[in-house]
């Protein structure tokens, strides 16, 4: 009997309709943990890195972690893994909510989808019963409608993950939504799901997750929860204002990318930050499974042409539709964020791509004949209208649906795409936060803030405060954060637990759940193994090398604490590669891979 893990995977051949169950590989689970790490390992063992992301040979893997669905602090996460169509990298998109635990309660660690169905289908799971069912009536429906239809059909206790029309139509920023408002959001994995004609996974489980040392595990989990509750970020700031609390914090640091990263300070940021959201539109907080933080926001915009009711916006969405586009109308930002959930779109890529289009229009590279109207920074109608067009892949939205890099390249200015490896960077300027610049450049899935989150030490002072403007020591610190994040993602915990908890608390919960006597350092080594595995895939896939958009490397900021700064990437990269034991080109050496048993 396995503890933490359930010990069984579901394999679904969408082309033939065949469904099988197979034992989880215990050796791989021990080495790669679960979720992000284990899903990536299974994927790499079965798929060619050169595979077409939207072709029939690309597999799509839903994978939970050994802590998913347990009483561990904030243990509601799962991962979706495939080659990402937006970037060509290994795509691993993480999501919370309640869907991941339900897979575990049904008796499974994960689901591997292969092939392409001839017609729209969804996977139905009720404990031992696993069936493909016709989804013709669901095709074209929003994630909200799809979830309502399936829960009305089978029961409110069923959990649903599905795609919207963006994924169905192949938008490269299409994401996979679960519990209506939670998203496996980055890299375009919704388009992979759509290419397979797989509309949804609908699951209900009545089992539980056994742990090896129940008393010790519950003590470790309680300790982690107590730490989070007492933490000023996880226990107070995020609970009061959600992730949007960061808007004014980052802006005052001179690191809030403004108008497609032309600068890093928005003079109107007060109009759409967490404080403004709480004062004007907040209905209540909402938590994911097993979470004491409850950073989710349920909002309701009334008496406005931008009326909306749902969850969000989170900080990244608020920035992408706010500072990035020069818009400070909070109602419009909420509406655009809501549309992303309704259509199944990644809001970071969506808002950033609109910002790129605005700059293209500003310099005359595109015009009203192409867009359909005058496209100016600061236009609240534009962010709403273009989000809807992009989700439906209609008109100019068809250009936007391919992401900012392909948009900017099509119109002759790829340098205006604020992306890394073709994935749009989130809401922290790497010129003002040097470690974040290094993090973006080295992220294994393209521009990403949650594969290390250097904002934590550089801005928030967690676990220790470092100077965001210096480069010294950032390579070593980023490696540690990246390895720890890979461990957390693979375990099934939420990254936000690190606002209070460190490796000792995370390792203790893992250790007593699965029944290992490994040290904290041996457990962290698994995260390093996952990071190197992902890098090996990207090199084999021909992914471009680690760099940043020219703007961050050449254009100095003109105001704020970082005035006169560019991102000093080269010096940090050299140190980072040395810290990782990689060669000067950023490739893991044979010695490094052998030492990690990759």
């Amino acid at each position: 009997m396995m503890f933490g893990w359930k010990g069984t995977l579901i394999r679904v051949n969408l082309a033939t309709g065949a469904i099988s169950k197979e034992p989880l590989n215990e050796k791989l689970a021990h080495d790669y943990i679960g979720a992000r790490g284990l899903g990536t390992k299974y994927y790499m063992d079965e798929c060619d890195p050169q595979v077409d992301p939207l072709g029939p040979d690309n597999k799509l893997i839903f994978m939970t972690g050994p802590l998913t669905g347990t009483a561990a602090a904030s243990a509601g996460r799962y991962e979706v893994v495939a080659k990402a169509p937006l970037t060509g990298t290994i795509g691993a998109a993480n999501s919370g909510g309640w869907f991941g635990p339900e897979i575990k309660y049904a008796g499974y660690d994960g689901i591997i989808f292969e092939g392409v169905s001839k017609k729209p289908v969804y996977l139905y799971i009720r404990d031992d019963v696993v069936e493909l069912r016709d989804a013709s009536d669901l095709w074209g429906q929003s994630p909200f409608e799809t979830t309502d239809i399936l829960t009305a059909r089978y029961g409110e206790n069923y959990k649903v993950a599905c795609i919207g029309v963006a994924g169905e139509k192949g938008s490269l920023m299409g994401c996979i939504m679960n519990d209506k408002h939670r998203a496996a959001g980055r890299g375009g994995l919704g388009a992979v799901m759509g290419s397979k004609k797989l509309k949804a996974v609908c699951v209900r489980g009545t089992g539980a997750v056994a742990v090896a040392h129940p008393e010790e595990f519950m003590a470790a989990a309680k300790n982690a929860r107590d730490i989070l509750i007492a933490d000023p970020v996880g226990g107070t700031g995020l609970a009061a204002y959600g992730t949007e609390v960061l808007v004014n914090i980052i802006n005052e640091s001179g690191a809030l990318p403004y108008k497609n990263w032309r600068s890093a300070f928005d003079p109107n940021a007060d109009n759409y930050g967490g404080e403004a959201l709480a004062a004007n539109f907040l209905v209540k907080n909402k938590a994911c499974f097993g979470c004491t933080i409850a950073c989710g926001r349920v909002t309701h915009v009334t008496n406005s042409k931008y009326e909306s009711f749902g969850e969000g916006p989170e900080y990244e969405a608020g920035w992408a539709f706010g500072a990035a586009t020069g818009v400070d109308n909070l109602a419009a930002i909420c509406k655009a964020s809501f549309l992303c959930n309704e259509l199944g779109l990644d809001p970071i890529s969506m808002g950033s791509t609109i910002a790129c289009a605005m700059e293209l229009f500003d310099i005359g590279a595109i015009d009203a004949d192409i867009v359909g109207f005058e496209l100016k920074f600061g236009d609240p109608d534009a962010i709403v209208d273009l989000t809807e067009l992009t989700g439906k892949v209609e008109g100019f939205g068809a250009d936007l649906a391919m992401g900012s890099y392909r948009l900017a390249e099509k119109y002759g200015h790829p340098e205006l795409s604020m992306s890394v490896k073709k994935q749009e960077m989130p809401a922290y300027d790497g010129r003002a936060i040097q470690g974040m610049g290094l993090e973006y450049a080295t992220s294994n899935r393209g521009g990403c803030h949650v594969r290390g989150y250097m904002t934590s030490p550089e801005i928030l002072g967690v676990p220790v405060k470092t100077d965001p403007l210096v480069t010294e020591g950032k390579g070593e610190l980023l490696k540690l954060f990246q390895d720890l994040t890979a461990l957390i993602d693979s375990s099934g915990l939420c990254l936000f637990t690190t606002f209070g908890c460190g490796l000792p608390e995370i390792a203790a919960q893992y250790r007593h759940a699965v029944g290992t006597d490994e040290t904290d350092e041996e457990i962290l080594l698994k995260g390093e193994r996952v990071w190197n595995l992902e890098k090996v895939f990207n090199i084999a896939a021909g992914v471009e090398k680690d760099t940043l958009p020219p703007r961050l490397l050449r254009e100095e900021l003109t105001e704020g604490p970082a005035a006169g700064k560019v991102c000093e990437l080269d010096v940090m990269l050299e140190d980072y590669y040395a810290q990782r034991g990689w060669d000067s080109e950023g490739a893991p050496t044979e010695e490094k891979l052998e030492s990690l048993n990759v």
Side-chain angles (χ1 to χ4, degrees):
M1 177 179 178
M2 299 184 74
F3 294 102
W5 300 283
K6 298 299 293 184
T8 303
L9 296 176
I10 300 169
R11 187 176 295 271
V12 181
N13 188 313
L14 293 164
T16 65
I19 297 173
S20 60
K21 300 175 185 179
E22 61 189 61
L24 184 70
N25 186 311
E26 293 189 33
K27 175 66 165 58
L28 295 185
H30 175 273
D31 289 347
Y32 294 95
I33 310 172
R36 174 179 159 190
L38 189 58
T40 299
K41 178 59 176 173
Y42 265 92
Y43 182 89
M44 288 185 62
D45 284 351
E46 299 186 12
C47 294
D48 185 338
Q50 296 289 331
V51 70
D52 177 358
L54 298 179
D57 294 330
N58 194 14
K59 297 188 180 184
L60 184 72
I61 300 176
F62 287 66
M63 192 70 75
T64 65
L67 295 181
T68 305
T70 70
S74 302
R77 313 297 292 194
Y78 76 101
E79 204 91 17
V80 184
V81 177
K83 186 176 181 181
L86 180 68
T87 61
T89 65
I90 186 69
N94 188 283
S95 184
W98 299 75
F99 176 79
E102 205 69 24
I103 293 176
K104 294 284 288 289
Y105 299 155
Y108 310 102
D109 294 295
I111 310 163
I112 301 173
F113 293 100
E114 47 197 28
V116 174
S117 175
K118 295 178 181 178
K119 64 179 183 180
V121 293
Y122 66 94
L123 187 70
Y124 171 89
I125 303 172
R126 167 77 186 208
D127 294 327
D128 290 339
V129 177
V130 184
E131 298 174 347
L132 282 173
R133 297 184 177 179
D134 182 44
S136 297
D137 62 324
L138 303 176
W139 205 253
Q141 303 286 352
S142 74
F144 306 152
E145 294 162 335
T146 298
T147 301
D148 286 343
I149 291 169
L150 290 174
T151 54
R153 185 177 297 171
Y154 299 120
E156 291 297 321
N157 289 328
Y158 278 78
K159 307 304 177 188
V160 177
C162 61
I163 56 172
V165 66
E168 293 175 4
K169 292 190 173 182
S171 169
L172 299 188
M173 59 183 77
C175 58
I176 299 169
M177 306 297 301
N178 62 270
D179 304 294
K180 291 187 176 180
H181 295 280
R182 300 291 93 196
R186 308 231 64 195
L189 299 191
V192 177
M193 196 161 164
S195 74
K196 295 184 175 300
K197 293 291 190 292
L198 177 64
K199 177 64 178 180
V201 178
C202 178
V203 58
R204 173 71 175 123
T206 59
V209 182
V211 297
H213 309 139
E215 290 186 11
E216 295 90 340
F217 173 76
M218 291 305 297
K222 182 180 184 303
N223 179 55
R225 289 174 182 274
D226 289 345
I227 290 172
L228 285 173
I229 291 169
D231 182 74
V233 178
T236 304
L238 288 174
Y241 298 114
T243 58
E244 276 275 82
V245 72
L246 289 169
V247 169
N248 286 314
I249 294 173
I250 302 301
N251 196 47
E252 290 165 7
S253 301
L256 190 71
Y258 184 52
K259 293 187 176 179
N260 203 39
W261 302 66
R262 284 175 161 178
S263 69
F265 178 79
D266 183 352
N268 301 310
D270 283 345
N271 294 338
Y272 59 87
E275 297 84 354
L277 187 68
N280 292 285
F281 302 130
L282 180 66
V283 176
K284 63 179 181 179
N285 296 7
K286 188 170 183 180
C288 294
F289 172 91
C291 183
T292 61
I293 298 172
C295 68
R297 309 285 97 175
V298 177
T299 55
H300 192 186
V301 178
T302 58
N303 301 318
S304 168
K305 65 178 180 178
Y306 305 122
E307 184 169 346
S308 65
F309 179 72
E311 289 188 41
E314 304 293 342
Y315 169 63
E316 307 298 337
W319 161 79
F321 291 118
T325 64
V327 171
D328 68 346
N329 185 313
L330 182 54
I333 292 169
C334 288
K335 179 66 173 182
S337 174
F338 172 84
L339 284 171
C340 284
N341 290 349
E342 185 176 49
L343 295 163
L345 285 168
D346 171 6
I348 299 175
S349 287
M350 183 70 261
S352 298
T353 301
I354 292 173
C356 177
M358 287 174 167
E359 185 163 5
L360 288 169
F361 190 96
D362 192 53
I363 67 170
I366 58 176
D367 57 25
D369 289 338
I370 292 172
V371 178
F373 54 86
E374 297 286 316
L375 182 58
K376 301 294 181 65
F377 281 112
D379 183 353
D381 287 345
I383 64 171
V384 173
D385 294 344
L386 290 178
T387 297
E388 188 158 13
L389 282 173
T390 302
K392 295 177 180 178
V393 196
E394 295 176 353
F396 184 55
D399 281 347
L400 299 177
M402 298 300 101
S404 66
Y405 184 85
R406 292 170 178 84
L407 171 75
E409 185 178 50
K410 176 176 179 177
Y411 293 105
H413 291 276
E415 74 281 1
L416 297 185
S417 169
M418 296 298 104
S419 63
V420 172
K421 303 177 178 76
K422 300 183 178 66
Q423 179 164 278
E424 291 72 20
M425 297 181 295
Y428 315 86
D429 197 305
R431 293 167 289 189
I433 311 175
Q434 293 288 319
M436 280 301 295
L438 179 63
E439 180 179 343
Y440 291 151
T442 59
S443 169
N444 283 340
R445 67 169 184 173
C448 178
H449 63 298
V450 290
R451 291 293 178 91
Y453 203 61
M454 287 291 284
T455 295
S456 188
E458 292 185 288
I459 299 296
L460 302 177
V462 179
V464 294
K465 185 70 172 72
T466 62
D467 187 340
L469 299 179
V470 305
T471 60
E472 290 80 10
K474 296 299 171 67
E476 181 180 10
L477 189 59
L478 177 59
K479 175 190 177 297
L480 174 61
F481 270 62
Q482 287 175 335
D483 293 348
L484 182 63
T485 299
L487 167 63
I488 293 166
D489 287 348
S490 300
S491 73
L493 295 180
C494 175
L495 178 62
F496 282 4
T497 59
T498 59
F499 284 131
C501 298
L503 176 61
E505 291 78 25
I506 293 161
Q509 293 175 94
Y510 172 80
R511 185 181 297 114
H512 293 304
V514 306
T516 180
D517 59 0
E518 294 168 297
T519 66
D520 291 0
E521 291 71 24
E522 288 171 330
I523 292 170
L524 181 61
L525 195 68
K526 300 172 191 285
E528 184 177 4
R529 181 179 295 120
V530 171
W531 191 269
N532 278 263
L533 181 74
E534 293 169 335
K535 186 67 172 182
V536 168
F537 178 92
N538 286 348
I539 291 171
V543 173
E544 56 262 41
K545 293 183 179 180
D546 301 331
T547 191
L548 291 169
R551 175 161 287 167
L552 272 69
L553 300 174
R554 301 171 190 166
E555 296 182 22
E556 297 179 355
L557 291 175
T558 59
E559 58 185 322
K565 296 289 287 185
V566 296
C567 184
E568 299 176 56
L569 180 62
D570 286 347
V571 64
M572 291 190 291
L573 266 183
E574 182 178 358
D575 175 52
Y576 172 80
Y577 291 155
Q579 295 290 337
R580 282 229 168 265
W582 295 354
D583 67 25
S584 61
E585 297 299 310
T589 64
E590 289 298 323
E591 293 78 11
K592 170 55 68 174
L593 296 178
E594 288 176 7
S595 72
L596 293 170
N597 294 317
V598 173

